[in-house]
């Protein structure tokens, strides 16, 4: 099981990005491929508003996710690196540049993806290389490098 398909990895350079926009952009490739519906993206935003900034899982990192919905067709992740940070819930204590989007159709099929993501995120050097990327090409290279 591959952690990120290259089609679902994005680098953007947008002035003043909003956290809602970055979640939408992160999930857009999955939406375009029919793996999720807009309902799932909307549920992530609503869950974040309701439950607070718990999706901010580390410095500069958000794991955007929601409960399984019928509109999610498979366990898959997308990644978006924003050149400029956005504050999750507009809270400056929770700014992030790396937005990881997790979609899951049930409560089991994403376990392997989460394990692989944890291994990536526990490698501080690799995370710093990802955050240092200044283009789509650099981002892809930093994610492929061991």
């Amino acid at each position: 099981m591959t952690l990120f398909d290259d089609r679902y990895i994005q680098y953007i350079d947008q002035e003043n990005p909003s956290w809602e926009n970055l979640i939408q952009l992160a999930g857009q490739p999955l939406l375009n491929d029919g793996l999720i519906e807009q309902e799932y993206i909307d549920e992530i935003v609503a869950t974040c508003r309701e439950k607070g900034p718990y999706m901010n899982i580390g410095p500069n990192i958000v794991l955007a996710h929601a409960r399984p919905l019928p509109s999610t067709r498979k366990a898959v992740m997308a990644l978006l690196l924003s050149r400029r940070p956005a504050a999750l819930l507009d809270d400056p204590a929770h700014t992030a540049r790396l937005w990881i989007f997790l979609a899951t159709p049930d409560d089991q099929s994403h376990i392997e993806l989460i394990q692989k993501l944890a291994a990536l995120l526990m490698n501080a050097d690799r995370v710093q290389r990802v955050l240092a990327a200044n283009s789509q090409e650099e981002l892809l290279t930093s994610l492929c490098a061991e």
Side-chain angles (χ1 to χ4, degrees), residues 22-125:
L22 292 178
I23 289 174
Q24 178 69 45
L25 288 171
Q28 194 65 46
L30 305 179
L31 184 65
N32 293 347
D33 279 359
L35 299 175
I36 62 170
E37 291 179 16
Q38 183 63 43
E39 169 192 38
Y40 190 74
I41 297 170
D42 296 342
E43 183 68 19
I44 290 172
V45 171
T47 299
C48 193
R49 284 191 176 122
E50 176 186 329
K51 299 191 179 200
Y54 78 95
M55 292 182 197
N56 182 196
I57 61 170
N60 274 312
I61 303 169
V62 167
L63 177 59
H65 62 287
R67 64 185 168 80
L69 294 175
S71 61
T72 303
R73 295 178 181 59
K74 76 180 260 189
V76 62
M77 280 202 266
L79 181 145
L80 181 140
L81 179 63
S82 174
R83 181 166 177 253
R84 293 174 178 84
L88 185 63
L89 293 168
D90 301 319
D91 181 345
H94 297 283
T95 61
R97 292 184 49 235
L98 185 60
W99 299 76
I100 300 165
F101 188 104
L102 170 65
T104 184
D106 56 50
D107 61 357
Q108 293 294 316
S109 59
H110 64 291
I111 303 290
E112 186 179 344
L113 284 174
I114 292 294
Q115 290 170 336
K116 288 183 177 191
L117 178 62
L120 168 71
L121 296 177
M122 287 189 295
N123 183 332
D125 290 338

